[in-house]
Amino acid sequence: MPASAPQPDQTQQSEALDFLHLYHTETGRPGLRQRQAEVYRGRLTLSTEELTFGARVAWRNSTRCVGRLPWQTLRVNDLRHVTDHDEVFAYLLAHLRGALNGGRILPTMSVFGPGVRIHNDQLIRYAGYRQPDGTVIGDPQNTDLTDHLRRLGWAGGAGTLFDVLPLAIEAHGQVRLFELPADAAHEVHITHPDCPAIGKLGLRWHALPVISNLTLEVAGQSFQAAPFNGWYLQTEIAARNLSDEDRYDQLPAVAAALGLDTASRRSLWVDRALLELNVAVLHSFDQAGVRIADHHAVTRQFRHFEALEARAGRPVQGRWSWLIPPMAPATTPLWDRRYDECEVRPNFTLQPPAWRAARPGVCPFHP
Ligand code: ARG
């Protein structure tokens, strides 16, 4: 990013000063005064080290993330000089391959230059094709994105339940589409350790969650194109993406595969199917050698994160409803905890979808 605007507004300026203070205090680096003077002169360009620190602290401050313990391990690719479509795409492929790291996933962020924006909310997403009868083939969460990509000229995919969408990369005020090669969108086929019928359902999920619709806010500067990934927690895939009735809605199929009687919910067939689908996702990722967390381990790690933060004299903010898992939450050590929901910077902010921002007068977050 080039120097921020010549006359940064008050908030930007105080955020820049606060950030430099935080950076120099936590890292013990000298030179705070000189850096602050640059803020007053209206031209603060973050060093790669400052940007990296800012991105890590943005993760540390993410109230909705239960996986914050390894925040200091985030790798940051400083690509603020990259502003062309083809180059952005090449670096995104490198990000996907490097972050997968043969399954030993590395939390990674790539920060691109001004004017770059990725319209997809994650780098890997499955198409949701609206059918004339109102049903959806694929992931119903992605119908708007799929429609948007079609309007941008995408011909559509094979029409399976799991068609990987192309990327819409905006740069220099122009949007272009890029298809992901199969090896960049690594997927895991879902099988169950002792129920082969679950494996025959043809379910799968991608290995990497790479969030691409959050703006990184550091030192009063906004980085719109800063996609980042960690690794999945099995409940995200098994207890939400594949289970929610308005997503893949697979619990009835899983129950049938298990031979459960689904006449009455009182038999708890829903819960039994949910449990076995979670077992299947963990088993499949483990078999494929792709790192994945489980809700028991990650919540214990979160308590450890809290203890380390307390030792460092820092308060931990969190949104309890996001931190507890959507399955057996009361069996985890977060159940009886309460958190301060305050948002502090550096942090991430949600971008309105590109297709809504383009329509003036329409609230970007509520269609
Ligand atoms: N819940 C989102 C999904 O299922 C991913 C959010 C980020 N998750 C993560 N483990 N870093 O795709």
Side-chain angles (χ1 to χ4, degrees), residues 189-335:
H189 294 265
I190 308 303
T191 57
H192 188 281
D194 35 54
C195 175
I198 291 179
K200 297 211 175 83
L201 295 174
L203 303 179
R204 49 157 104 187
W205 204 257
H206 48 93
L208 285 178
V210 194
I211 309 294
S212 47
N213 66 342
L214 296 184
T215 299
L216 170 66
E217 311 277 3
V218 178
Q221 300 182 22
S222 300
F223 302 94
Q224 272 208 113
F228 63 87
N229 73 276
W231 49 79
Y232 264 115
L233 167 56
Q234 110 281 350
T235 51
E236 299 183 271
I237 300 168
R240 302 300 311 276
N241 303 350
L242 294 176
S243 293
D244 280 3
E245 287 184 4
D246 57 1
R247 296 293 297 285
Y248 278 87
D249 192 19
Q250 289 298 306
L251 294 185
V254 172
L258 288 163
L260 301 177
D261 176 1
T262 58
S264 163
R265 285 179 199 274
R266 195 170 169 80
S267 68
L268 302 189
W269 69 264
V270 172
D271 310 61
R272 295 172 75 176
L274 178 68
L275 171 64
E276 295 307 335
L277 186 53
N278 276 265
V279 168
V281 167
L282 284 171
H283 166 79
S284 310
F285 273 64
D286 286 347
Q287 288 277 301
V290 174
R291 184 158 194 179
I292 191 162
D294 66 79
H295 55 297
H296 298 295
V298 83
T299 51
R300 276 165 177 75
Q301 285 156 14
F302 189 80
R303 296 289 295 136
H304 183 49
F305 164 72
E306 285 184 64
L308 293 178
E309 289 300 290
R311 206 175 301 165
R314 294 188 292 254
V316 168
Q317 289 80 20
R319 287 214 238 160
W320 184 81
S321 67
W322 279 75
L323 298 177
I324 57 160
M327 185 183 168
T331 67
T332 72
L334 302 191
W335 180 251

